[in-house]
């Protein structure tokens, strides 16, 4: 069997009593890259956070299944151990914890006690990935995201992705705030992950990331739902024409959720 | 009030105890005067901390300790403080077990250089003049409060460390105070004198395991760094929940002298801790660094104070505390610049992290300045663990407990990594690990 399957069914999510997602349906299989696009304020990041279990988001209806297992019943760490990964839009800064210690703890959390990753193997893998992402080796010993620039944080998210090798990754606006060179490097890292047993959900509101990462499917989100799906050509049309034509086609006046 | 606040001892007991320890008369008189004063003196001050129901009077005062036969017979918690057997054997080390010296080693080289490192009862007989010159005269006064007076009256343990002029001791000199008996009190006095141009690193460890039985620790350290001397003083306090601790560590720095404090305040019981340094001489320097982890229901009160008297003197206080469970702590940081201390500098930073809903912490930065031409600064923060930090760590597969462990280590690490004594760094990491899990 190639890879895992993440099924999102009729997902409704509230934040502080306000409904943001109003019935999202989406299935991601191993080997597939999906892009979720849409203007700001349509619920894209809420989708990412709700799947991972962000403490502020409350799922009121629907289900999320990973290979048939109920993800919503799992604690955040269990979701990660089951194979999910979220590259966050705003990664936390954690002073006093080195990147390297953090990554080793993360890797070992997926392994049995007594079967921790050997230190040399870890260092080798870390060095390879740092090189691949053109990150200075010093970053391994710096405190986790502490004082990192926006671009460094994004690269660090992709470094974690490459180190942890999840079954399904969600990338929440991994391209925001990146210059073109950084965007290329980050894309290179993501593309390296592409294989039959890896599925990816890319959230973005710019098409430009998709110039470097070709999605198998593109979904447009408005008003807390996926309103249109298509192939890579849909992203290109959005780049050329914007979102207005979709709103007209579907009779949507305000694409955002609430105010 | 159900708690008895009067000592269950009489003058006669103190006199007899002093005779048993074979003390000179002047010292016995200090004890007896202190005892008489102790009844009327006010309690030690503990800002914003209710100490009225703390146990200061219920303890065993005179408990013998057996000599240590071999490294293997030591409990793990002591061995971790000493390193492995060969490391331990080569140390300049005293182990005090209950109230007696159970092991002592000082290298011939240091002896030949005139270094004195011995228990205070021996020092009273062999180096009485030196002890008399420094004991509770210019450092901590007997009559500062009820607890300092009780300390002098009931002193049952002590260390005298004397470093002669121009002698530089490279490796740390260490003392382990092991309260093996669950009810044995320790009234311990550390007297450290570093003569001109000398250098020494002193490390002390207090350890007890009396989680359920009550006892008392009443500790006074006096450190004198004479002109251009450098003293690094590391301490890891690790009394169990049953011990109520009063610890008063005091430093006096002369011209160009430097005192570095590196304190791990890791007791599990109620604690009042005061760490004051007087920068008497021009150009003197003090760094006072401490970390603390509170847990259970313990209450703690920490005061770090540096007083600038000398011109161009420089004081820096750095304290970080983590409060778990229902523990609570007050961190007072006091920078005082006296009139005439031109170009003095007083900096401080206190940070408290509260982990659980019931935990409480308070950081009070205080600057008192009586001189115009100075620099001073303070930073203080009290906060709870950011749930988004835990979410971020957990989203990589790390369990909540492990995530909290990382955040706590991370919060304390900026202080721990600045501690200039490697042994203390290692010990602290081990003790923090034990308290966090």
């Amino acid at each position: 069997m190639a890879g895992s399957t993440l099924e999102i069914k009729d997902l409704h999510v509230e934040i502080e009593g306000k409904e943001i997602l109003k019935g999202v349906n989406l299935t991601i299989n191993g080997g597939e890259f999906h892009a979720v696009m849409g203007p700001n304020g349509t619920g894209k990041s809420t989708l990412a956070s709700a799947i991972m279990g962000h403490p502020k988001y409350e799922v009121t209806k629907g289900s999320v299944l990973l290979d048939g297992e109920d993800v919503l019943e799992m604690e955040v760490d269990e979701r990660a151990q089951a194979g999910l990964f979220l590259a966050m839009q705003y990664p936390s800064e954690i002073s006093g914890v080195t990147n390297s210690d953090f990554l080793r703890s993360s890797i070992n959390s997926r392994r049995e006690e007594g079967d921790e990753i050997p230190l040399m193997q870890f260092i080798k893998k870390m060095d390879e990935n740092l090189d691949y992402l053109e990150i200075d080796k010093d970053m391994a010993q710096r405190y986790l995201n502490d004082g990192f620039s926006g671009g460094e944080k994004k690269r660090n998210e992709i470094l974690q992705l490459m180190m942890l090798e999840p079954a399904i990754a969600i990338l929440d606006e991994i391209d925001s705030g990146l210059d073109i060179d950084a965007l290329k490097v980050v894309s290179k890292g993501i593309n390296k992950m592409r294989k039959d047993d890896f599925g990816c959900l890319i959230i973005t509101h710019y098409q430009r990331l998709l110039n470097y990462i070709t999605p198998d499917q593109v979904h447009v989100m408005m008003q807390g739902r996926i309103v249109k799906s298509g192939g890579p050509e849909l992203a290109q049309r959005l780049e050329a024409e914007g979102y207005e034509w979709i709103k007209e086609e579907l009779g949507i006046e305000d694409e955002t959720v609430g105010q | 009030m159900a708690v008895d606040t009067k000592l269950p001892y009489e003058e006669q007991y103190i006199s007899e105890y002093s005779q048993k320890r074979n003390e000179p008369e002047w010292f016995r008189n200090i004890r007896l005067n202190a005892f008489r004063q102790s009844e009327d003196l006010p309690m030690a001050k503990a800002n914003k901390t209710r100490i009225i129901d703390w146990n200061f009077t219920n303890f065993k005062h005179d408990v013998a300790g057996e000599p240590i036969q071999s490294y293997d017979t030591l409990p793990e918690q002591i061995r971790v403080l000493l390193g492995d057997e060969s490391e331990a054997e080569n140390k300049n080390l005293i182990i005090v077990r209950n109230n007696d010296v159970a092991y002592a080693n000082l290298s011939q080289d240091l002896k030949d250089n005139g270094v004195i490192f011995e228990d205070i009862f021996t020092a009273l007989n062999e180096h009485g003049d030196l002890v008399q010159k420094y004991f509770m005269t210019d450092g901590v006064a007997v009559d500062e409060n009820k607890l300092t007076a009780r300390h002098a009256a009931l002193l049952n343990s002590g260390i005298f460390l004397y470093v002669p002029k121009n002698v530089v001791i490279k490796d740390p000199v260490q003392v382990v105070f092991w309260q093996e008996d669950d009810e044995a009190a320790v009234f311990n006095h550390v007297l450290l004198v570093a003569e001109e141009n000398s250098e020494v690193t002193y490390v002390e460890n207090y350890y007890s395991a009396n989680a359920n039985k009550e006892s008392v620790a009443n500790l006074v350290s006096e450190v004198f760094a004479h002109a251009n001397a450098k003293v690094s003083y590391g301490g890891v306090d690790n009394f169990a929940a049953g011990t109520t601790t009063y610890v008063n560590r005091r430093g006096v720095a002369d011209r160009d002298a430097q005192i570095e404090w590196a304190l791990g305040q890791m007791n599990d019981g109620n604690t009042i801790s005061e760490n004051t340094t007087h920068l008497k001489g021009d150009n003197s320097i003090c760094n006072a660094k401490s970390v603390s982890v509170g847990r259970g229901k313990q209450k703690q009160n920490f005061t770090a104070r540096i007083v600038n008297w000398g011109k161009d003197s420089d004081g820096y206080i750095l304290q970080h505390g983590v409060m778990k469970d229902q523990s609570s702590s007050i961190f007072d940081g006091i920078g005082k610049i006296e009139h005439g201390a031109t170009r003095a500098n007083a900096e401080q930073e206190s940070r408290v992290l509260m982990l659980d809903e019931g935990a409480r912490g308070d950081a009070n930065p205080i600057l008192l300045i009586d001189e115009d031409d100075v620099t001073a600064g303070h930073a203080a923060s009290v906060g709870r663990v950011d749930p988004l930090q835990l979410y971020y760590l957990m989203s990589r597969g790390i369990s909540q407990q492990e995530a909290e462990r990382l955040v706590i280590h991370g919060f304390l690490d900026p202080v721990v990594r600045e501690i200039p004594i490697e042994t203390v760094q290692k010990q602290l990491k081990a003790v923090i690990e034990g308290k966090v899990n």
Side-chain angles (χ1 to χ4, degrees):
Chain A
M1 193 191 117
S4 294
T5 300
L6 182 71
E7 293 172 274
I8 302 156
K9 293 181 190 163
D10 193 30
L11 190 67
H12 290 247
V13 175
E14 285 184 2
I15 178 166
E16 286 158 3
K18 193 168 143 240
E19 187 166 65
I20 306 287
L21 294 190
K22 303 180 176 184
V24 174
N25 291 286
L26 186 60
T27 299
I28 299 155
N29 294 304
E32 298 174 358
F33 275 35
H34 292 246
V36 169
M37 303 185 67
N40 279 327
T42 54
K44 300 187 303 295
S45 288
T46 300
L47 177 62
S49 297
I51 294 170
M52 202 67 230
H54 188 293
K56 278 200 173 156
Y57 294 82
E58 193 194 344
V59 176
T60 52
K61 196 177 164 196
S63 63
V64 178
L65 302 176
L66 182 64
D67 297 329
E69 298 281 324
D70 186 352
V71 169
L72 301 177
E73 281 296 307
M74 300 178 193
E75 297 293 332
V76 176
D77 55 325
E78 293 168 339
R79 296 180 195 202
Q81 286 164 16
L84 288 178
F85 179 90
L86 170 61
M88 298 198 191
Q89 193 177 353
Y90 304 108
S92 287
E93 298 189 3
I94 299 167
S95 175
V97 178
T98 64
N99 237 358
S100 162
D101 285 349
F102 161 66
L103 269 167
R104 265 175 75 199
S105 293
S106 301
I107 290 172
N108 287 331
S109 74
R110 290 161 171 72
R111 302 168 72 115
E112 294 297 316
E113 208 170 316
D115 182 38
E116 286 83 6
I117 185 169
L119 184 60
M120 290 318 292
Q121 190 186 324
F122 171 79
I123 291 172
K124 189 161 169 274
K125 187 171 181 182
M126 183 88 164
D127 281 349
E128 282 169 9
N129 286 321
L130 285 168
D131 283 343
Y132 198 80
L133 293 171
E134 299 170 30
I135 298 173
D136 195 303
K137 292 269 199 315
D138 290 355
M139 195 158 100
Q141 291 311 317
R142 284 171 68 187
Y143 289 154
L144 179 53
N145 293 325
D146 189 23
F148 283 26
S149 70
E152 283 177 324
K153 283 182 184 167
K154 299 289 167 142
R155 279 188 210 216
N156 199 21
E157 293 294 286
I158 300 306
L159 173 69
Q160 292 173 34
L161 170 70
M162 296 177 76
M163 293 295 289
L164 297 175
E165 302 181 278
I168 303 278
I170 304 161
L171 313 178
D172 188 7
E173 307 221 355
I174 197 69
D175 51 337
S176 69
L178 291 186
D179 63 30
I180 195 73
D181 291 333
L183 187 67
K184 281 182 187 168
V185 170
V186 160
S187 304
K188 190 173 78 165
I190 297 165
N191 283 325
K192 189 169 184 234
M193 298 293 294
R194 200 187 263 273
K195 45 187 166 309
D196 282 350
D197 58 359
F198 174 70
C200 192
L201 176 62
I202 298 161
I203 290 173
T204 178
H205 60 262
Y206 297 113
Q207 199 270 339
R208 62 170 196 162
L209 178 66
L210 306 181
N211 292 333
Y212 302 98
I213 306 169
T214 311
D216 302 297
Q217 288 188 51
V218 175
H219 312 276
V220 178
M221 208 158 164
M222 286 184 181
Q223 294 179 328
R225 287 186 195 92
I226 287 172
V227 294
K228 195 167 187 66
S229 297
E233 72 288 347
L234 177 56
Q236 277 155 19
R237 187 166 172 200
L238 291 172
E239 171 77 352
E241 301 176 31
Y243 290 101
E244 283 304 313
W245 64 275
I246 296 184
K247 287 163 70 177
E248 274 170 36
E249 194 177 291
L250 298 172
I252 293 171
E253 282 187 8
D254 179 4
E255 73 278 14
T256 62
V257 200
Q259 54 272 50
Chain B
M1 206 53 250
V3 177
D4 190 4
T5 55
K6 196 173 175 312
L7 283 178
Y9 295 98
E10 301 297 334
E11 273 193 44
Q12 194 188 342
Y13 172 82
I14 287 167
S15 206
E16 282 168 11
Y17 183 80
S18 175
Q19 267 154 21
K20 182 181 149 192
R21 288 289 193 177
N22 211 7
E23 292 169 0
E25 197 185 340
W26 66 266
F27 197 76
R28 189 168 313 136
N29 288 335
I30 287 182
R31 284 185 184 274
L32 291 170
N33 283 330
F35 180 73
R36 287 174 206 129
Q37 286 176 292
S38 70
E39 299 210 355
D40 297 327
L41 282 165
M43 197 57 186
K45 275 209 189 98
N47 182 27
K48 296 185 191 173
T49 307
R50 187 184 144 87
I51 61 170
I52 194 159
D53 56 351
W54 292 16
N55 169 46
F56 288 107
T57 49
N58 185 23
F59 53 83
K60 289 201 291 200
H61 178 254
D62 187 13
V63 182
E66 295 286 308
I68 287 159
Q69 301 299 344
S70 73
Y71 179 85
D72 296 333
T73 61
L74 291 167
E76 173 60 28
Q77 289 88 344
I78 302 291
R79 274 183 276 164
V80 79
L81 303 171
L82 302 174
D84 62 30
E85 189 170 354
S86 61
E87 216 178 312
E89 273 173 3
N90 290 316
K91 281 186 179 213
N92 295 304
L93 170 70
I94 291 178
I95 299 176
V96 179
R97 188 176 191 173
N98 297 325
N99 306 134
D100 290 328
V101 171
Y103 174 87
N105 181 50
L106 179 66
S107 74
Q108 193 58 44
D109 178 43
L110 293 183
K111 282 182 200 161
D112 293 345
N113 276 303
V115 172
I116 302 166
F117 178 49
E118 60 196 14
D119 73 275
I120 203 156
F121 303 110
T122 306
L124 280 168
N125 287 304
E126 292 181 2
H127 308 280
D129 292 350
L130 274 173
V131 176
Q132 191 168 14
K133 182 175 170 192
Y134 291 103
F135 183 84
M136 298 191 90
T137 52
D138 298 330
V140 175
V142 170
D143 61 359
E144 277 182 27
N145 60 54
K146 193 182 284 295
L147 297 180
T148 52
R150 282 183 186 171
H151 171 86
L154 290 172
L155 185 145
N156 62 7
S157 168
I159 295 294
F160 181 54
L161 174 56
Y162 178 83
V163 189
K165 197 171 168 177
N166 301 329
V167 172
V168 174
I169 306 180
K170 285 209 176 66
D171 297 322
V173 174
Q174 186 179 357
V175 185
V176 173
F177 300 95
W178 172 23
Q179 293 309 97
E180 186 184 28
D181 184 304
D182 281 350
E183 292 164 288
V186 55
F187 286 74
N188 185 62
H189 196 97
V190 176
L191 197 53
L192 195 169
V193 179
E195 294 284 12
E196 278 179 39
N197 307 319
S198 68
E199 270 187 49
V200 65
T201 296
Y202 167 83
V203 175
E204 66 186 9
N205 304 97
Y206 291 96
Y207 175 73
S208 75
N210 54 324
N212 301 311
K213 292 204 168 144
E214 282 192 332
S215 190
V216 163
N218 181 324
L219 317 170
V220 173
S221 295
E222 298 180 282
V223 174
F224 298 91
H226 290 298
N228 203 36
K230 184 177 174 193
V231 177
S232 285
Y233 191 114
V236 179
D237 306 346
N238 195 8
F239 286 111
T243 297
T244 305
T245 302
Y246 171 74
V247 53
N248 187 336
R249 293 183 174 104
R250 185 80 44 99
V252 180
D254 289 350
R255 172 182 62 77
D256 299 310
Q258 184 172 348
I259 299 180
E260 300 271 345
W261 301 99
L263 305 177
Q265 315 213 56
M266 297 293 168
N267 294 337
D268 275 339
N270 292 340
T271 299
I272 301 173
S273 165
E274 186 200 316
N275 176 212
T276 298
T277 305
H278 291 282
L279 295 174
K280 288 273 184 195
D282 294 351
N283 249 334
S284 53
I285 296 173
C286 175
N287 285 300
K289 292 171 187 161
S290 79
V291 292
S292 178
V293 176
R295 65 175 173 181
K297 292 185 171 170
Q298 74 176 136
K299 294 183 168 52
Q300 299 185 89
N301 183 292
F302 302 105
T303 303
R305 181 191 289 110
I306 298 178
V307 187
N308 298 66
W309 302 83
K311 292 182 175 56
D312 301 290
S313 58
D314 193 348
Y316 176 50
I317 294 167
L318 176 65
Q319 44 188 357
H320 281 204
V322 173
M323 296 302 120
K324 294 175 58 174
D325 308 325
Q326 281 100 54
S327 63
S328 71
S329 289
I330 306 286
F331 291 84
D332 284 354
I334 304 173
K336 172 101 207 288
I337 302 182
E338 300 289 344
H339 183 64
T342 327
R343 296 178 304 278
N345 182 38
E347 301 286 341
Q348 58 168 291
E349 182 183 329
S350 302
R351 305 210 179 272
V352 185
L353 179 70
M354 293 171 292
L355 223 56
D356 297 294
E357 201 59 41
R360 298 200 44 190
D362 196 359
N364 306 302
I366 300 161
L367 285 172
L368 304 162
I369 300 177
D370 290 330
E371 173 61 44
D372 294 329
D373 182 13
V374 301
T375 53
H378 62 78
S381 67
V382 177
R384 298 203 172 267
V385 172
D386 180 355
L388 292 184
Q389 285 189 335
L390 295 181
Y391 165 62
Y392 185 71
L393 294 169
M394 288 174 73
S395 80
R396 302 308 187 235
I398 295 170
S399 68
Q400 179 158 357
Q401 191 190 1
E402 175 70 4
E404 287 182 356
R405 198 186 71 86
L406 285 173
V407 169
I408 294 173
H409 277 284
F411 185 79
L412 299 176
D413 191 65
V415 185
V416 174
R417 71 156 63 182
E418 273 208 40
I419 282 174
I421 310 168
E422 206 184 326
T423 359
V424 176
Q425 277 198 18
K426 274 194 207 154
Q427 290 172 0
L428 262 179
K429 282 181 184 164
V431 174
I432 291 169
E433 193 62 44
K435 285 199 88 166
V436 167
N437 282 330

